[in-house]
């Protein structure tokens, strides 16, 4: 089926040209352009905008969707189907329109002569660098089926962790949300009505009540200005956190947060060890595995630590010294890696490290509510205390005045 493509190319004089062309694949577009003595450097299909496409923009392609795709692809290839036939079978299942669109794009690219890893690389927001590089290693080594099985293990472990953390945070989130709503209602609707009554009685308002009234007046007089400033600061903060310096600052702060910082670090250690072990077992050299692990790290602090390890290995030294100097790898991990380097069984020992941290993460997540509860009680108690004082202190003063 022919599809419309837009392209950018350079002629023999180096001038940039742009245009559109209808072809069966982007490879055919590139061939036609080369026949015209043009060198293409950008080719993409022109998508027809439909109501379904518009709604698909708001449909997130979650980690569970990637895992389901990988599981189906592994099952079909293990059953003896070719890669292209497996993708066609997956594409026929119209359960997720976003997945169907991606699979159709993969099929077109493969039919045009592209490899599966190059095709996956065109969807960086869906398939991570780790995913693409492991698939590429499977293509080169002829062990794509085994690679898909390992990707399932990685994906399911991360999905399970995400689900458990979300489940543990659901109750504190609901409690804090309810408390914030109650605070807004009391501050903006209840306290002002009592304030008028207190003013008529001539009772001096206590400090907690004046604070709540001050918050109410600030929202009443400067509400729009506050909202505009909040939006501007929010946009600035979001953009800043997307920069390398902002992300590094955020990730450093995250690792210092009580309870959650150690949990994030344990999860990152488990992820790093598992990825390194599976990449080395897949036949990828240690240097390349470190490069992939660095690009796959969610935390910038961990990513920079892995980069120092990679530089050290490039210079011909061991992994353990930069791991020790980074300060984020516990001594037990450093010792395991040292033993692995000495015995040549670093992949096996890294898997043990991953299993150990998986147990630590499991324990922390299971007891997350117990660990959060003291902080939650302090926050709840403080807010309820302020609200209670703001409401009842003036009443007690009025009662004392009437008794006199």
């Amino acid at each position: 089926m022919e599809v419309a493509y837009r392209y950018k190319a350079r002629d023999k004089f180096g001038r940039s040209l742009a245009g559109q062309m209808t072809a069966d694949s982007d490879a055919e577009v590139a061939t036609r352009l080369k026949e015209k003595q043009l060198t293409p450097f950008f080719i993409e299909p022109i998508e027809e905008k439909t109501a379904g496409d518009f709604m698909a923009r708001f449909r997130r392609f979650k980690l569970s969707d990637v895992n389901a795709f990988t599981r189906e692809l592994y099952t079909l290839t293990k059953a003896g189907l070719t890669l292209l036939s497996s993708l066609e079978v997956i594409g026929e299942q119209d359960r997720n329109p976003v997945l169907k669109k991606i699979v159709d794009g993969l099929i077109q690219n493969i039919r045009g002569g592209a490899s599966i890893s190059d095709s996956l690389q065109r969807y960086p927001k869906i398939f991570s660098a780790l995913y693409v590089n492991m698939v590429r290693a499977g293509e080169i080594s002829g062990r794509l089926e085994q690679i898909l099985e390992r990707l399932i293990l990685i994906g399911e472990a991360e999905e399970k962790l995400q689900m458990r953390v979300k489940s543990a945070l659901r109750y504190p989130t609901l409690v804090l949300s309810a408390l914030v709503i109650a605070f807004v209602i009391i501050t903006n609707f209840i306290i002002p009505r009592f304030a008028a009554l207190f003013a008529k009685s001539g009772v001096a308002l206590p400090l907690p009540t004046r604070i709540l009234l001050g918050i109410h007046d600030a929202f009443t007089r400067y509400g729009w200005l506050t909202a505009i400033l909040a939006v501007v600061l929010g946009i600035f903060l979001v953009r800043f956190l997307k920069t390398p310096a902002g992300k590094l600052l955020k990730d450093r702060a995250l690792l210092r947060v009580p309870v959650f910082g150690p949990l994030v670090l344990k999860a990152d250690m488990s992820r790093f060890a598992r990825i390194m072990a599976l990449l080395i077992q897949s036949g990828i050299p240690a240097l390349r595995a470190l490069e992939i692990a660095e690009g796959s790290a969610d935390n910038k602090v961990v990513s920079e630590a892995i980069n120092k390890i990679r530089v050290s290995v490039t210079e011909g030294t061991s992994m353990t010294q930069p791991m020790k100097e980074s300060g984020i790898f516990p001594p037990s991990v450093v010792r395991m890696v040292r033993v692995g380097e000495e015995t040549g069984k670093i992949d096996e020992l890294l898997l043990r490290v991953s299993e150990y941290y998986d147990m630590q993460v499991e324990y922390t997540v299971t007891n997350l509510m117990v660990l959060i509860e003291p902080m939650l009680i302090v926050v709840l108690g403080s807010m309820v205390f302020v609200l209670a004082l703001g409401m009842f202190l003036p009443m007690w003063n009025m009662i004392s005045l009437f008794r006199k």
Side-chain angles (χ1 to χ4, degrees), residues 230-243 246 249:
V231 171
V232 171
L233 288 174
I235 294 173
F236 171 78
L237 185 62
V238 168
R239 291 186 176 180
F240 173 70
L241 292 178
K242 289 182 178 180
T243 63
L249 183 65

Side-chain angles (χ1 to χ4, degrees), residues 68-79:
F69 167 77
T70 309
R71 199 177 297 110
E72 291 177 358
L73 187 60
Y74 167 72
T75 303
L76 292 170
T77 53
K78 188 176 182 180

Side-chain angles (χ1 to χ4, degrees), residues 30 53 80 96 101-102 122 140 151 155 169 173 178 189 195 217 239-240 260 269 271 286-287 302 356 375 382 402:
D53 292 333
N96 187 330
K101 187 175 180 181
I102 292 171
R122 301 187 183 191
I140 295 172
L151 282 172
L169 292 179
T173 303
F189 298 101
D217 292 339
R239 291 186 176 180
F240 173 70
F260 293 101
M269 291 295 101
R271 177 184 174 87
L287 192 60
V302 177
Y356 167 76
M375 294 186 293
S382 301
F402 290 150

Side-chain angles (χ1 to χ4, degrees), residues 184-240:
V184 171
I185 292 174
I186 292 173
T187 304
N188 289 280
F189 298 101
I190 298 177
I191 290 292
R193 295 184 180 182
F194 277 96
L197 177 63
F198 299 150
K200 291 179 182 179
S201 66
V203 176
L205 297 178
L207 179 61
T209 308
R210 294 201 302 269
I211 292 174
L212 294 176
L213 285 173
I215 295 173
H216 168 71
D217 292 339
F219 275 109
T220 303
R221 297 179 183 179
Y222 310 107
W224 287 106
L225 179 61
T226 304
I228 293 171
L229 287 175
V231 171
V232 171
L233 288 174
I235 294 173
F236 171 78
L237 185 62
V238 168
R239 291 186 176 180
F240 173 70

